[in-house]
Amino acid sequence: MDMDSVQLFLDQFKLRSEAETTWLKEMFSFITQQVCPVCPAPCAADELLTGVSSDQGVSLSVCVVKKIQKNMTVTHTLPVSYRPVSVFELVSQQHLACVSNLSWSTNQQRAWAREAELSLPGHRALPRVNLLLIGCLREGRGGEWRLTNSSGSVRCEVLSPSPMWLNRPVFLPHWNYIPHNALGQGEVRGCVELIGSPVVLCPGPEQGLAAAAEKEAGLSVSEAAGLLQHRVRGQRVAVCGQVGSVSPVLVVAGTSFFCFTLTDNRHQLPVLVKVTSRLWWSQCVCVGQSVCVTALRVCVLGGWRGNNILCVTDQSQIHTDNTLTHTPVDHTQTQSQSDTPLPMMSHDNDNEEEEPERDFIQSGVRVKQSRVISYQGMVTEVVSEGAGLYVIDRKVGLCLAYQPTLRRRLRAGDCVELHHVHFLFRPCTDFPPSMLCTCLRSTLRVTSFSRVGGSPPDSTCPGDGALPRLLLEKNVGVSEYLWACHLSSQLSHSLVPSVLKQQCVCVLSWKLMDFVWRRGRRRRDIYSEMLDEPHTCPLTEYSVDPGVHQYISISKLIQSLQSDCWSSVSLSALLPPDGSSLTRSQINTALSWSCRTLTPDPHNNRQTGETLRRRPLLLVGVLELPSLASEHKQTLQLRDSTGAVACVVTETSEEEEGGQRAAFNTAWIGCLVCVQQFTMVTERFLQSDFPSYQHLDQDRFITHKNCRVYLQFSLDHVHILSPSVAMVTHLRQTGEGPAGDVTDRKQIEEQEGGQTAGRKRRTGDTSVATTTQACVSMVIRVEQKDGVAWRNTGVELKKEEVGLTLSFCVQAAMIGPVVRWGRDPKNGPMADREAEKDWDDKVVLVFSGVSARWFPLLQPGCFYRLIAANTQDPSVLIGSGVSGWSGVELHTDPTLQVRSDWRFHTLISPLLLHTCRQTLSPSVLSVSEVLDSSSELVCFQGLVSDRINLNNRTSDTHAGVRLTMCDQTGRSLQVYLDLSHTPYPPGLLPGNMLLLSGFHRKLSRSGSVYCSSSPVSSITVTSLGDTSSAHPPPAPIMHLGLWALSREQRCIVGEVKGHMICFLFLQLQWSCSVCGSDYTQSCSSSQCRSTSSVFQSKAKLVMDDGTGEAHVWFSGALVRPLLELADSQWEGLQRALRVKGHIRVYPQGQSLVCDSDCDDPLLHFLLCVCSTDVVGRPISLTCRKLSNQRPEELRRFSRGDRDFMTRMVPALQLKCLHIHTD
């Protein structure tokens, strides 16, 4: 440092304190070392400004100090607490966002911070630093401005830049600094936000409009418009006008450019700027500003149908008045062109295909026109920085995805001004109703930088902007894009971390959007979007679909179903229509089990009372085997990071085209899937002791209640988002799946391979790493599967673990010998060495503990490859025999205990050898065949038509389930399940088809056929029905004569049609709901003190259909329609009988027998009802044949002096179940 120059510099100021002298020396040193080397040649105004005709360092230093004093509130002192900072020091050492303002006092700074934090609750104001920034403003890449000194440069954002600042040394009195780690991954090396105008230390010549007019006469917009029609080569013109619109800087094929328009009252001229040295104009040109641009030439823009356009040249200059002349924008101001509809136009008929509107009409989606408006407000929330989504003024959404990524990301607290922005109303139900979306003609200008610090980096979308890049490539509508963005933010919190990395979330959400929306795509013409009049772009039209699918995490789904389990239903609604006449035991039995089923589409759930949800649901998760902690052990489960839910799953059968069967393909394990069509099942279990129907609103009679939640769906309705390695092999062999997914599958394989290698490296055991691929396997065909139950096996139990273990057995046929593999074959095609023609060995596989989780996917008749990993010893897969006494022949198959680390892979038909494909499927009977069979142990399939929970008579606890099974003929069979030693089996719902294996066929004391479970019984759901409105097949039509002669219980329920002959019995009574005794004013039983009663009715009549007669019993709610009484008449009968308590009438022909006063008017009324048009009318009934049929008997008849003996067949006894009204 030259001491003479330092002294000359100090002499320019009065005597100062030692601190101020030191500060001046540091300032002089900083200016000469950091600023002077990057400044242009000394300007002519230096001497006039400083009064010193010396070198540049002294004059510039004196100028800086004087400018600093001028910007201070107290000018008689120097800011010794402030120090100059180099760009390198700022970028490398300032890691927190900060603010610096030379003119602030302490009170002013506190007031500023308080105001900033009040405007944005939850945010902290930027901390203040006492630093001075001095440098030279230079042009950077892509039109950005940079503050430069000899140590480096930093990007500089300016609110209202002026061309006069460029290439000039400046001092920044008020600025923010945002380091690169404060705005997420997209920001590079920080940014200086210049608040207000910089102080130019060496001003250049005046470049305003007046100066431009003196140098060169500029044409008006109207005059220049004629030049576009008559192009003259080599002509250069200057045009003055008002800026109408400014497009963002685009980069196409490595060329950067932007466009703006000049307007007057009648014409509009487009101007193209693609000269690299003039890209910085994009920050100087503002909508509403008056500018003059020189040296413009007319050129042809080949990609635009307008062709001729004004282009900026290397000699062009821009002159501004640095004032905005536009009127202040508000929330409702619109441009003139927004008053008319903006039609969709095609600009390239050769290459562009117009999207058909009929697709939108067929799907019921409404297409709306957007409005073009101007808007100003403050950014109050950063929804997703990577996706370009924000909220303005806490109520208006902002989408910037249709523009290139902003060089400076918006922060909460920024005040913005938007021109030519599209206003959309409810384009997506997951975002604010009012949305603003920018296109390539929209202009976004920050009018005030945020005063608060930025939020943590956004985790809902990768910082590299994957979603905007996909939007640029695919060009979908704004509604679809917003839906994908919202789904991406949800999936980032709910996906299983081990399945995908964070970078894949956006791609997954985009795949789901394509799968759910299934819309066409448009081609985007960027030149027409920026320059055409009338304006058209992808935002001109948008779709509104209030019924679009809504993603929900599994934990929220379970919580919603459990919370609505009891609140959505009234207990009285769970009872049959005659619930008010049920006794205590009947009521509590009917309430012990109930079921609620919902579909994802809320429009299909109106009958269930679900009206709050408006949108269909969508689930995403990984299909897995049941875990040890799972409530349902017999089903697969769908899991995400929030929870898991049991799933009753079916898929299409290989043998029967279009038929359904239980899930059998193990390739689904580990697949990330989207489930769109499913049924949500909530089974309610209630233990209660309600005395009567009137007490149902009193919760004190409920002793215990709980519920079970699970899903039902078919794998045919599941969309694979990320296949497992086994599923990739399966799809490749079957030729299914889109070809575009091959890359994704390879990536999945590489990922899983890399993860496996990583786990090996982390173990540190090299021997394990070299032998994990080695394995042995054998191919089996499952012939029979026992049911899973808690058994005392003692297998795989630790010393401290004692008790029952979940286990089951599988009888299987070995297709060939045990084979060694150097690498896990998984579900690859079957090799020749895995099968032998004459191989007929059998094996019993025993599953217990962890291995019992394979139960849901092992199905009879299917082929599987059993793999024992990390071994080359074939003996591990050879079953052990059972030892017996000498000379005793054993007929048992070898037994093989399945270990927890063994794996099963399904081999479908294309993967099997030709010799193995023709196999006999296991014999399955129908319900009718079971009724006619004589076997003691049966395997049959049927439709569940009814279900009743059975309680223990002694302890009143849950003991089992009684199912009523039927087939297509309408014949039914009752099945009793003992669930005391088995996990609870889901899916036993009316409407589902079940496969019951290993059940005992028994005869009751009355001769009826029924089935009961055994210790090896297995229950499998093979087909899913509509459980919300399940109706069994119609009962077969029976003739009374033939039905009476049939002594075998081949048909229990049937439909009969005939005529009523006469009433044999009619009883109406009030009974005690607790003990069943007669009830008048109180219970007639002295041991019962109940005060509740129920009205009961019974009737018996004779029916004839021409083939025979039958005695039919009616009870409960069927008596009123039988007597053809109106509701008011029936209620009157009940009131009239209150005092008397009961009445019994025995009308037999013309005689009358009763147990009451013959003059009773109520008796005469009932007699009249039983003898009028009711008798003799045709009637159609569904009846159950009673089991207490009497045998034939000998009867004696006398005629004169002779006696006759004859064999009389007693009348057929039936119980009416339903009266057909049509």
Side-chain angles (χ1 to χ4, degrees):
M1 181 184 300
D2 188 358
M3 298 303 298
D4 294 337
S5 299
V6 174
Q7 189 60 45
L8 181 60
F9 169 68
L10 294 176
D11 292 342
Q12 303 303 312
F13 304 95
K14 298 178 181 179
L15 289 177
R16 299 288 179 174
S17 64
E18 182 179 353
E20 291 179 329
T21 302
T22 303
W23 184 87
L24 287 172
K25 291 180 180 180
E26 293 177 354
M27 181 61 68
F28 180 79
S29 175
F30 179 84
I31 296 297
T32 55
Q33 295 178 12
Q34 299 290 337
V35 182
C36 289
V38 298
C39 280
C43 54
D46 284 348
E47 185 176 349
L48 296 177
L49 182 65
T50 63
V52 180
S53 57
S54 60
D55 59 6
Q56 183 185 17
V58 175
S59 61
L60 190 57
S61 299
V62 173
C63 179
V64 169
V65 174
K66 290 185 177 181
K67 292 291 186 181
I68 290 175
Q69 287 182 307
K70 187 177 179 180
N71 282 274
M72 292 179 60
T73 55
V74 181
T75 58
H76 63 274
T77 184
L78 294 176
V80 294
S81 61
Y82 282 78
R83 68 178 183 89
V85 61
S86 67
V87 171
F88 175 78
E89 182 183 358
L90 179 69
V91 173
S92 61
Q93 298 186 17
Q94 185 62 39
H95 302 300
L96 298 177
C98 58
V99 60
S100 177
N101 192 332
L102 184 62
S103 63
W104 270 347
S105 65
T106 303
N107 291 333
Q108 288 175 328
Q109 190 271 334
R110 290 175 179 174
W112 175 89
R114 188 182 308 110
E115 181 182 353
E117 293 177 357
L118 289 176
S119 62
L120 286 172
H123 291 76
R124 298 297 300 272
L126 293 174
R128 180 183 181 181
V129 294
N130 293 344
L131 298 176
L132 299 175
L133 271 180
I134 306 170
C136 185
L137 283 177
R138 296 283 179 85
E139 173 192 353
R141 293 186 305 173
E144 67 180 15
W145 289 37
R146 302 190 72 85
L147 182 69
T148 306
N149 59 28
S150 62
S151 67
S153 65
V154 63
R155 188 163 57 83
C156 189
E157 294 292 336
V158 189
L159 294 178
S160 300
S162 170
M164 295 183 294
W165 302 343
L166 202 60
N167 297 320
R168 300 293 175 183
V170 295
F171 156 64
L172 308 184
H174 191 184
W175 50 272
N176 298 336
Y177 176 68
I178 309 299
H180 69 281
N181 59 350
L183 290 179
Q185 303 173 359
E187 206 68 31
V188 180
R189 295 190 63 80
C191 169
V192 171
E193 298 174 346
L194 178 55
I195 302 172
S197 300
V199 177
V200 181
L201 301 177
C202 185
E206 184 180 358
Q207 294 183 358
L209 291 180
E214 293 177 0
K215 293 182 180 180
E216 182 177 359
L219 301 177
S220 66
V221 175
S222 300
E223 295 171 338
L227 299 177
L228 296 180
Q229 306 299 327
H230 307 285
R231 181 187 176 196
V232 178
R233 184 178 298 274
Q235 184 181 17
R236 301 292 186 269
V237 296
V239 180
C240 297
Q242 192 177 46
V243 179
S245 64
V246 183
S247 71
V249 177
L250 301 179
V251 180
V252 178
T255 301
S256 301
F257 66 94
F258 77 97
C259 298
F260 65 94
T261 58
L262 297 176
T263 63
D264 58 10
N265 295 330
R266 293 178 299 172
H267 296 85
Q268 178 171 290
L269 283 179
V271 180
L272 175 66
V273 183
K274 67 175 182 179
V275 179
T276 306
S277 60
R278 298 297 184 269
L279 290 177
W280 59 269
W281 287 12
S282 61
Q283 296 199 52
C284 297
V285 180
C286 301
V287 175
Q289 189 179 34
S290 296
V291 299
C292 183
V293 186
T294 64
L296 294 173
R297 67 184 179 92
V298 180
C299 61
V300 177
L301 185 59
W304 180 43
R305 67 174 185 173
N307 291 330
N308 292 347
I309 190 173
L310 291 177
C311 293
V312 171
T313 63
D314 293 331
Q315 294 78 31
S316 298
Q317 299 292 330
I318 186 169
H319 305 277
T320 68
D321 59 1
N322 208 29
T323 58
L324 301 181
T325 59
H326 67 280
T327 58
V329 294
D330 55 28
H331 302 290
T332 59
Q333 180 183 357
T334 62
Q335 296 181 2
S336 59
Q337 58 183 331
S338 65
D339 298 333
T340 58
L342 303 178
M344 179 64 75
M345 299 177 61
S346 175
H347 307 295
D348 188 357
N349 296 329
D350 296 334
N351 300 323
E352 183 175 359
E353 294 182 1
E354 185 176 359
E355 187 174 3
E357 293 186 1
R358 62 176 180 271
D359 291 343
F360 295 161
I361 297 174
Q362 290 176 356
S363 60
V365 179
R366 182 182 177 187
V367 178
K368 299 176 67 175
Q369 299 279 342
S370 64
R371 297 176 58 195
V372 179
I373 67 171
S374 296
Y375 190 94
Q376 67 179 4
M378 183 176 69
V379 178
T380 53
E381 180 185 353
V382 179
V383 178
S384 177
E385 184 182 275
L389 298 175
Y390 306 87
V391 175
I392 304 177
D393 299 333
R394 297 185 177 87
K395 58 182 178 181
V396 180
L398 175 63
C399 176
L400 306 179
Y402 286 83
Q403 282 192 348
T405 304
L406 294 177
R407 183 171 52 247
R408 174 196 176 272
R409 303 293 178 90
L410 295 180
R411 295 187 290 122
D414 286 339
C415 292
V416 296
E417 184 177 286
L418 297 160
H419 294 278
H420 205 282
V421 63
H422 291 263
F423 172 77
L424 300 82
F425 187 71
R426 296 190 186 279
C428 181
T429 54
D430 298 310
F431 285 86
S434 300
M435 287 292 299
L436 299 177
C437 299
T438 57
C439 65
L440 294 182
R441 193 167 184 176
S442 305
T443 304
L444 183 147
R445 174 173 168 263
V446 179
T447 59
S448 176
F449 294 122
S450 173
R451 303 179 182 184
V452 298
S455 56
D458 184 18
S459 61
T460 59
C461 181
D464 57 358
L467 285 173
R469 285 204 311 274
L470 287 170
L471 176 63
L472 179 64
E473 178 184 351
K474 306 298 184 180
N475 192 26
V476 298
V478 63
S479 300
E480 294 94 320
Y481 177 77
L482 293 177
W483 188 86
C485 291
H486 180 71
L487 180 64
S488 176
S489 67
Q490 292 183 304
L491 290 180
S492 63
H493 297 97
S494 62
L495 278 182
V496 179
S498 60
V499 176
L500 295 172
K501 298 180 180 179
Q502 179 67 24
Q503 288 80 354
C504 298
V505 174
C506 295
V507 178
L508 272 179
S509 62
W510 198 271
K511 286 183 179 180
L512 270 173
M513 184 268 295
D514 278 341
F515 170 68
V516 172
W517 288 78
R518 304 178 187 272
R519 301 281 176 83
R521 296 169 180 169
R522 317 167 189 171
R523 182 182 174 185
R524 192 174 182 184
D525 190 334
I526 61 173
Y527 298 110
S528 297
E529 187 173 332
M530 290 188 294
L531 304 174
D532 266 358
E533 286 293 343
H535 172 70
T536 180
C537 70
L539 300 173
T540 305
E541 287 186 349
Y542 64 99
S543 59
V544 177
D545 186 4
V548 68
H549 283 76
Q550 175 186 2
Y551 170 78
I552 185 172
S553 65
I554 293 179
S555 63
K556 289 184 178 179
L557 175 68
I558 296 176
Q559 292 172 5
S560 175
L561 293 176
Q562 290 177 345
S563 62
D564 295 343
C565 173
W566 300 104
S567 61
S568 61
V569 67
S570 171
L571 293 182
S572 59
L574 301 178
L575 298 177
D578 58 341
S580 59
S581 62
L582 298 180
T583 63
R584 173 183 180 178
S585 60
Q586 292 173 332
I587 289 177
N588 294 305
T589 301
L591 294 177
S592 62
W593 179 87
S594 60
C595 179
R596 183 193 188 206
T597 58
L598 298 174
T599 63
D601 192 349
H603 300 290
N604 298 333
N605 300 326
R606 294 177 180 175
Q607 61 182 355
T608 62
E610 205 243 359
T611 58
L612 297 179
R613 182 164 51 87
R614 302 298 180 90
R615 298 166 55 187
L617 296 180
L618 191 72
L619 291 176
V620 176
V622 179
L623 279 175
E624 293 181 343
L625 294 172
S627 62
L628 293 177
S630 176
E631 184 180 13
H632 299 284
K633 308 292 184 180
Q634 305 182 30
T635 62
L636 296 176
Q637 67 178 14
L638 186 70
R639 184 172 69 90
D640 62 13
S641 62
T642 66
V645 61
C647 303
V648 178
V649 182
T650 63
E651 60 181 308
T652 302
S653 174
E654 289 184 284
E655 294 81 9
E656 184 179 355
E657 183 177 357
Q660 290 288 308
R661 63 171 301 171
F664 62 92
N665 195 348
T666 58
W668 286 99
I669 300 175
C671 291
L672 182 68
V673 298
C674 167
V675 188
Q676 191 176 5
Q677 300 180 28
F678 57 94
T679 301
M680 297 167 280
V681 181
T682 306
E683 294 188 23
R684 311 181 188 95
F685 301 89
L686 183 70
Q687 293 182 10
S688 60
D689 191 18
F690 289 105
S692 68
Y693 181 84
Q694 289 76 19
H695 296 82
L696 292 179
D697 57 345
Q698 302 180 25
D699 293 341
R700 60 190 179 93
F701 294 105
I702 299 177
T703 57
H704 178 72
K705 64 180 180 181
N706 70 308
C707 64
R708 295 178 184 267
V709 175
Y710 57 91
L711 305 179
Q712 293 187 158
F713 57 86
S714 172
L715 292 176
D716 301 330
H717 301 149
V718 169
H719 181 67
I720 302 175
L721 297 175
S722 177
S724 63
V725 178
M727 180 57 70
V728 172
T729 305
H730 172 79
L731 295 176
R732 186 184 298 117
Q733 295 295 331
T734 57
E736 299 178 359
D741 288 346
V742 175
T743 304
D744 297 335
R745 296 171 194 156
K746 291 181 179 178
Q747 292 176 355
I748 295 297
E749 289 179 338
E750 293 174 358
Q751 274 186 3
E752 295 192 2
Q755 292 172 1
T756 304
R759 286 193 295 268
K760 295 173 188 175
R761 289 191 295 268
R762 288 192 295 269
T763 58
D765 188 354
T766 56
S767 62
V768 175
T770 58
T771 60
T772 49
Q773 297 295 333
C775 61
V776 293
S777 73
M778 68 174 178
V779 178
I780 62 172
R781 183 183 68 249
V782 175
E783 296 185 343
Q784 182 180 343
K785 180 177 71 170
D786 296 343
V788 61
W790 300 100
R791 297 182 175 92
N792 191 6
T793 60
V795 179
E796 293 189 357
L797 290 180
K798 299 179 181 179
K799 293 182 179 180
E800 63 273 10
E801 295 179 351
V802 178
L804 302 178
T805 306
L806 199 66
S807 63
F808 71 97
C809 295
V810 166
Q811 288 80 35
M814 298 176 60
I815 305 303
V818 179
V819 178
R820 292 189 180 96
W821 298 87
R823 185 178 181 180
D824 190 348
K826 296 187 182 294
N827 60 332
M830 190 173 174
D832 294 337
R833 56 182 178 146
E834 291 186 274
E836 292 187 7
K837 185 175 182 181
D838 298 330
W839 197 280
D840 58 351
D841 290 353
K842 307 290 184 179
V843 64
V844 177
L845 302 177
V846 179
F847 298 78
S848 60
V850 178
S851 63
R853 61 195 181 120
W854 290 100
F855 181 83
L857 292 178
L858 299 180
Q859 308 299 343
C862 296
F863 289 82
Y864 299 89
R865 178 182 282 129
L866 172 59
I867 297 176
N870 304 329
T871 182
Q872 287 281 283
D873 183 10
S875 63
V876 299
L877 293 182
I878 298 176
S880 60
V882 180
S883 60
W885 294 96
S886 176
V888 178
E889 183 180 359
L890 297 177
H891 297 277
T892 60
D893 297 324
T895 302
L896 181 62
Q897 180 70 41
V898 178
R899 301 178 185 176
S900 59
D901 59 338
W902 291 0
R903 296 292 179 266
F904 288 83
H905 291 281
T906 305
L907 299 180
I908 59 176
S909 295
L911 305 179
L912 297 173
L913 296 177
H914 180 71
T915 56
C916 303
R917 294 182 183 178
Q918 296 179 353
T919 58
L920 296 176
S921 59
S923 176
V924 179
L925 305 178
S926 65
V927 171
S928 298
E929 291 172 337
V930 173
L931 291 173
D932 300 335
S933 175
S934 59
S935 302
E936 294 184 357
L937 202 63
V938 293
C939 174
F940 66 98
Q941 183 171 281
L943 182 72
V944 180
S945 61
D946 189 22
R947 165 180 171 151
I948 295 178
N949 265 28
L950 302 177
N951 293 330
N952 196 320
R953 295 181 179 179
T954 58
S955 60
D956 199 27
T957 58
H958 180 72
V961 174
R962 189 190 74 186
L963 300 178
T964 301
M965 310 286 294
C966 62
D967 56 14
Q968 295 300 322
T969 65
R971 301 176 67 182
S972 59
L973 171 70
Q974 291 186 343
V975 181
Y976 294 85
L977 307 179
D978 182 9
L979 305 180
S980 58
H981 297 288
T982 63
Y984 182 80
L988 308 184
L989 308 179
N992 285 351
M993 187 77 69
L994 302 183
L995 173 64
L996 305 181
S997 175
F999 275 71
H1000 289 298
R1001 179 186 181 275
K1002 298 181 178 181
L1003 289 176
S1004 65
R1005 287 176 293 180
S1006 60
S1008 300
V1009 177
Y1010 70 96
C1011 289
S1012 64
S1013 60
S1014 65
V1016 297
S1017 296
S1018 176
I1019 306 173
T1020 305
V1021 180
T1022 59
S1023 180
L1024 304 175
D1026 185 4
T1027 56
S1028 61
S1029 58
H1031 297 287
I1037 298 179
M1038 302 296 296
H1039 296 289
L1040 295 179
L1042 298 177
W1043 206 0
L1045 294 176
S1046 175
R1047 292 303 173 189
E1048 297 182 3
Q1049 298 293 325
R1050 299 180 56 184
C1051 186
I1052 301 176
V1053 179
E1055 182 179 348
V1056 294
K1057 298 181 179 180
H1059 288 77
M1060 295 171 54
I1061 304 300
C1062 65
F1063 276 89
L1064 299 178
F1065 171 76
L1066 176 62
Q1067 174 180 299
L1068 305 176
Q1069 69 175 12
W1070 285 95
S1071 303
C1072 176
S1073 62
V1074 177
C1075 66
S1077 303
D1078 292 343
Y1079 194 97
T1080 52
Q1081 300 298 325
S1082 61
C1083 182
S1084 59
S1085 176
S1086 59
Q1087 299 178 352
C1088 180
R1089 298 183 178 181
S1090 173
T1091 59
S1092 59
S1093 59
V1094 294
F1095 183 78
Q1096 296 180 328
S1097 56
K1098 293 181 182 179
K1100 182 180 180 181
L1101 57 80
V1102 179
M1103 181 179 181
D1104 188 355
D1105 68 346
T1107 65
E1109 290 186 354
H1111 293 179
V1112 186
W1113 289 86
F1114 296 79
S1115 62
L1118 297 175
V1119 177
R1120 186 196 63 79
L1122 176 67
L1123 299 177
E1124 294 187 332
L1125 295 178
D1127 292 338
S1128 57
Q1129 294 175 312
W1130 190 247
E1131 293 174 358
L1133 275 176
Q1134 297 180 32
R1135 290 193 300 268
L1137 202 61
R1138 265 293 185 184
V1139 177
K1140 190 174 183 179
H1142 69 278
I1143 185 172
R1144 296 181 180 87
V1145 182
Y1146 304 91
Q1148 299 175 356
Q1150 297 297 323
S1151 61
L1152 173 64
V1153 179
C1154 65
D1155 57 354
S1156 60
D1157 186 5
C1158 296
D1159 297 331
D1160 187 356
L1162 183 59
L1163 178 63
H1164 287 280
F1165 173 76
L1166 294 176
L1167 179 61
C1168 181
V1169 169
C1170 295
S1171 60
T1172 55
D1173 296 335
V1174 173
V1175 178
R1177 79 174 193 268
I1179 192 171
S1180 177
L1181 309 173
T1182 296
C1183 298
R1184 178 184 298 276
K1185 185 178 181 181
L1186 297 179
S1187 58
N1188 55 350
Q1189 305 290 334
R1190 290 180 297 173
E1192 296 180 354
E1193 57 182 12
L1194 292 175
R1195 296 285 300 273
R1196 182 187 297 272
F1197 293 91
S1198 298
R1199 278 288 182 262
D1201 56 350
R1202 294 187 179 184
D1203 293 336
F1204 297 91
M1205 297 289 293
T1206 183
R1207 188 180 301 275
M1208 298 290 295
V1209 178
L1212 177 65
Q1213 303 291 316
L1214 302 177
K1215 180 181 180 180
C1216 180
L1217 303 178
H1218 179 68
I1219 300 177
H1220 300 278
T1221 56
D1222 49 7

